[in-house]
């Protein structure tokens, strides 16, 4: 009984620690006056990261530069949500790992067998890398939403250009009337051009902020059309048709994967239960016959 109470007490302490970290992380705001910036080599675009003093600065110094670049890239793919910054991730990772270590240590001390030690180690590692996994999942969902919305957005832009609007005006109309991550990226691209960035650089920055092969292909086509003077309406019409075809092919591919994905639960979950239900009466009858 005392062991169970101690376990729940440790669980409550770990939960409180995680909640406190979440409150602190969510309440942090960047100070535009006192913060300075550093530029990390090899990180393009939004690779200007705020440098802070104290523990965060030390953690950045200890962290590999490649990992900082990886986090910056994942934040870009996730749309740089306000609740997620590199500083907040550096705060959350050790806090979650500490909470997982507290729970795992209390669980292991009750019965220090190798299995519990292995499970506790996996729990600590999972807690430590949980922010990275959540950030990766957020980025994948956002990129998938952008890729699925690309065909419809190109159709809207094609109709606008054929009606007499310019390409930037059509992009602005599609971004303003649309919703979702693709509309946000189109608006950001227009904002980049409005502050003096060239079209080519703005489109290349759009391609760098995404992991969608279709959107990268579209930006390359727009850059080539702008360079060689090709009619943008023809480019949009061809790209819209290709994106619709690719979206249909992706749907067909996902549909073809369903039978393969169903095999595992069918073989290991459904068929054994079905065999038990069907064969149990026959087995009972056979046992009764032979017992007589």
């Amino acid at each position: 009984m005392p062991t169970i109470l101690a376990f729940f007490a440790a669980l409550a302490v770990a939960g409180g620690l995680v909640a406190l970290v979440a409150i602190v992380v969510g309440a942090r705001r960047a100070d535009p006056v006192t913060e300075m910036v550093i530029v990390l080599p090899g990180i393009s675009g939004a690779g200007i990261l705020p440098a802070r003093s104290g523990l965060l600065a030390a953690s950045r110094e200890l962290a590999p530069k490649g990992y900082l670049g990886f986090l910056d890239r994942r934040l870009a793919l996730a749309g740089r949500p306000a609740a997620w910054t590199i500083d907040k991730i550096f705060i959350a990772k050790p806090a979650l790992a500490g909470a997982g270590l507290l729970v795992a240590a209390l669980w292991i001390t009750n019965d220090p067998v190798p299995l519990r030690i292995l499970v506790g180690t996996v729990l600590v590692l999972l807690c430590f890398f949980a922010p990275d996994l959540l950030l990766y999942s957020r980025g994948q969902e956002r990129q998938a939403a952008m890729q699925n919305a690309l065909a419809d957005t190109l159709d809207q832009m094609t109709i606008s250009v054929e009606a007499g609007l310019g390409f930037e005006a059509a992009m602005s109309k599609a971004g303003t009337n649309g919703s979702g991550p693709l509309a946000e990226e189109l608006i950001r691209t227009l904002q980049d051009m409005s502050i003096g960035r060239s079209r080519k650089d703005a489109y290349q920055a759009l391609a760098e902020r995404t992991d969608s092969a279709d959107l990268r292909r579209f930006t390359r086509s727009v850059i080539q059309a702008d360079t060689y003077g090709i009619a943008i309406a023809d480019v949009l019409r061809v790209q819209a048709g290709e994106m619709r075809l690719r979206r249909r092919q992706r749907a067909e591919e996902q549909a073809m994967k369903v039978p393969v994905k169903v095999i595992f639960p069918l073989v290991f979950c459904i068929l054994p239960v079905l065999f038990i239900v069907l064969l149990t009466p026959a087995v009972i009858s056979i046992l009764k016959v032979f017992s007589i």
Side-chain angles (χ1 to χ4, degrees):
M1 191 66 178
T3 303
I4 298 176
L5 293 177
F7 175 77
F8 281 107
L11 189 62
V13 171
L17 180 61
V18 172
L20 179 61
V21 170
I23 294 173
V24 172
V25 169
R28 289 176 58 88
R29 293 292 183 270
D31 188 358
V33 177
T34 59
E35 82 173 1
M36 56 184 178
V37 296
I38 57 173
V39 180
L40 297 178
I43 303 176
S44 59
I48 301 178
L49 306 175
R52 303 182 186 277
S53 59
L55 186 59
L56 287 177
S59 61
R60 286 199 173 190
E61 290 295 332
L62 294 176
K65 299 300 181 182
Y67 180 68
L68 292 176
F70 171 79
L71 282 182
D72 186 76
R73 172 65 176 168
R74 286 300 166 190
L75 286 171
L77 294 179
R80 300 193 179 278
W84 289 87
T85 62
I86 293 183
D87 287 340
K88 294 177 181 180
I89 292 174
F90 279 160
I91 293 174
K93 286 170 71 71
L96 293 174
L101 181 61
L102 178 63
V103 175
L106 183 60
W107 185 55
I108 292 172
T109 52
N110 292 332
D111 187 13
V113 295
L115 180 60
R116 289 200 174 195
I117 295 175
L118 178 61
V119 174
T121 304
V122 173
L123 175 63
V124 174
L125 292 177
L126 184 61
C127 291
F128 183 77
F129 290 105
D132 300 293
L133 297 176
L134 293 175
L135 187 62
Y136 176 79
S137 177
R138 174 70 177 270
Q140 291 295 106
E141 292 176 359
R142 189 172 185 273
Q143 298 304 311
M146 292 174 60
Q147 187 160 308
N148 292 331
L150 183 58
D152 296 334
T153 302
L154 290 183
D155 287 335
Q156 297 177 14
M157 294 174 62
T158 302
I159 295 173
S160 300
V161 170
E162 290 179 346
L165 293 179
F167 179 68
E168 280 77 16
M171 184 185 298
S172 176
K173 192 173 186 63
T176 303
N177 296 334
S179 60
L182 183 58
E184 296 173 359
E185 291 296 338
L186 294 180
I187 295 298
R188 180 175 177 179
T189 303
L190 292 173
Q191 291 174 349
D192 289 343
M193 288 187 285
S194 66
I195 61 176
R197 201 168 189 176
S198 64
R199 290 183 177 179
K200 183 177 180 180
D201 293 340
Y203 296 146
Q204 287 178 347
L206 172 61
E208 292 175 357
R209 291 194 302 269
T210 182
D211 202 18
S212 172
D214 293 342
L215 187 54
R216 286 175 176 269
R217 189 178 297 107
F218 167 67
T219 54
R220 286 196 299 266
S221 300
V222 172
I223 292 174
Q224 291 177 357
D226 185 61
T227 302
Y228 297 106
I230 304 173
I232 194 63
D234 297 335
V235 175
L236 288 175
R237 192 181 305 109
V238 172
Q239 289 293 320
E242 290 184 359
M243 298 308 166
R244 285 195 300 271
L245 177 61
R246 292 180 183 277
R247 186 172 61 181
R248 183 165 56 251
Q249 290 175 346
R250 285 195 300 270
E252 293 175 354
E253 180 183 0
Q254 294 297 325
M256 294 298 292
K257 290 180 180 179
V258 171
V260 180
K261 295 179 179 179
V262 171
I263 289 177
F264 180 81
L266 179 65
V267 172
F268 293 96
C269 299
I270 299 177
L271 289 181
V273 176
L274 184 62
F275 288 152
I276 292 173
V277 172
L278 295 178
L279 297 180
T280 299
V283 172
I284 294 174
S285 300
I286 292 173
L287 292 176
K288 287 182 178 179
V289 169
F290 282 99
S291 64
I292 294 175

